[in-house]
């Protein structure tokens, strides 16, 4: 009943079925999206996330406050994280942008990488492949858990009156939590990959897996703990 299709860069895919011991190599024309959608409907499997059209797992957002700000519901599912949507045109609209696409956009930073969305999408695709091999979980579930864990819940702001400036602890809104989490995750992966033998995809996969576990090996988790510690001292 559960059938998985994994695409290789060419026109071929691998068809996996529990009743068949060995994978069957089948020819899939990329343009024949109708055939793939028919198979999804026939076997009642959700379009889980980009690049992996079928993995039968349901994505859970364990933090109720972030449910409306992490776009992973079936209506946000896309084949590739390149929707070309106008998410910056109106306030809060970027919350409707698929979470994978937001990570892809966040990777395109520091001048020399600006606008290279296909390169960023390739990096995220390879990172998701690595996450699936490392954890045997739906990579999108790992990304959701990483974003939930990496977003700081409290921060310290500068409050000034009559020339006296002091720090005041404040709660962080859900959208800013998601924004900060994405920024910290991609920054940590970028710094880990700089002047390193490991590829950007490997570093991004490690960062996401560690953040999803809540491990202090993650750059994002360390920064989040530091921010919350400073805020707690300024309550």
């Amino acid at each position: 009943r559960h059938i998985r299709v994994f695409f290789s860069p060419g026109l071929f895919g691998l068809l996996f079925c529990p009743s068949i011991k060995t994978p069957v190599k089948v020819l899939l024309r990329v343009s024949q999206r109708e055939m793939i959608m028919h198979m999804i409907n026939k076997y009642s499997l959700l379009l889980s996330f980009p690049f992996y059209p079928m993995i039968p797992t349901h994505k859970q957002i364990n933090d109720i406050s972030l449910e409306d700000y992490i776009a992973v519901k079936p209506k946000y599912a896309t084949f590739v994280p390149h929707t070309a949507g106008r998410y910056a045109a109106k306030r809060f609209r970027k919350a409707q942008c698929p979470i994978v696409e937001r990570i892809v956009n966040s990777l395109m930073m520091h001048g020399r990488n600006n606008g290279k969305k296909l390169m960023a999408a390739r990096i995220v695709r390879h990172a998701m492949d690595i996450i699936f091999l490392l954890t045997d979980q739906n990579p999108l579930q790992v990304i959701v858990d990483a974003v939930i864990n990496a977003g700081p819940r409290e921060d310290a702001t500068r409050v000034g009156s009559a020339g006296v400036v002091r720090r005041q602890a404040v709660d962080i809104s859900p959208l800013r939590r998601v924004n900060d989490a994405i920024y910290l995750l991609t920054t940590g992966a970028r710094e880990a990959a700089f002047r390193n033998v490991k590829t950007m995809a490997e570093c991004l996969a490690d960062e996401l897996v560690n953040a999803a576990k809540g491990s202090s090996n993650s750059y994002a988790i360390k920064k989040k703990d530091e921010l919350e510690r400073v805020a707690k001292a300024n309550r």
Side-chain angles (χ1 to χ4, degrees), residues 9 17 26-27 37 55 67 75 83-84 122 143 145 147 154 165 171 176 182 186 191 198 225:
C17 187
V26 293
L27 182 64
M37 295 305 295
I55 287 188
E67 276 187 358
K75 71 175 182 177
T83 59
R122 190 196 70 228
I143 288 173
D145 292 342
V147 169
E154 194 178 22
V165 177
D171 294 333
R176 185 175 168 88
I182 292 170
T186 53
E191 289 187 7
K198 291 176 76 172
D225 291 343

Side-chain angles (χ1 to χ4, degrees), residues 28-86:
L28 292 173
R29 289 202 176 276
V30 178
S31 59
Q32 292 179 337
R33 185 178 295 187
E34 295 80 8
M35 183 184 73
I36 298 167
M37 295 305 295
H38 168 71
M39 200 179 294
I40 292 169
N41 293 332
K42 183 177 178 183
Y43 291 98
S44 306
L45 301 179
L46 282 176
L47 189 66
S48 298
F49 51 92
F51 313 116
Y52 287 76
M54 291 177 250
I55 287 188
T57 51
H58 184 63
K59 295 169 291 297
Q60 297 285 340
I61 301 178
N62 297 319
D63 192 328
I64 194 170
S65 65
L66 299 182
E67 276 187 358
D68 296 330
Y69 297 94
I70 299 179
V72 289
K73 291 177 183 174
K75 71 175 182 177
Y76 299 117
T78 56
F79 275 93
V80 288
H82 200 314
T83 59
R86 297 173 62 237

Side-chain angles (χ1 to χ4, degrees), residues 99-190:
I99 192 71
V100 177
E101 184 170 5
R102 293 201 63 189
I103 291 173
V104 168
N105 293 341
S106 185
L107 283 175
M108 298 188 294
M109 278 194 189
H110 292 310
R112 59 184 183 171
N113 298 319
N114 287 356
K116 298 181 183 178
K117 192 159 184 177
L118 295 181
M119 182 181 77
R122 190 196 70 228
I123 288 168
V124 172
R125 184 181 74 209
H126 291 169
M128 291 169 98
D129 286 336
I130 294 166
I131 290 169
F132 178 67
L133 293 172
L134 287 176
T135 63
D136 204 33
Q137 292 179 330
N138 187 331
L140 195 57
Q141 182 64 61
V142 174
I143 288 173
V144 168
D145 292 342
V147 169
I148 289 171
N149 291 341
R153 294 159 293 188
E154 194 178 22
D155 198 0
T157 187
R158 288 163 59 90
V159 176
S161 60
V164 180
V165 177
R166 65 186 184 88
R167 307 271 286 181
Q168 174 63 45
V170 291
D171 294 333
I172 296 181
S173 70
L175 183 61
R176 185 175 168 88
R177 276 183 65 189
V178 175
N179 296 346
D180 286 356
I182 292 170
Y183 171 77
L184 290 174
L185 289 166
T186 53
T187 302
R190 193 180 296 112

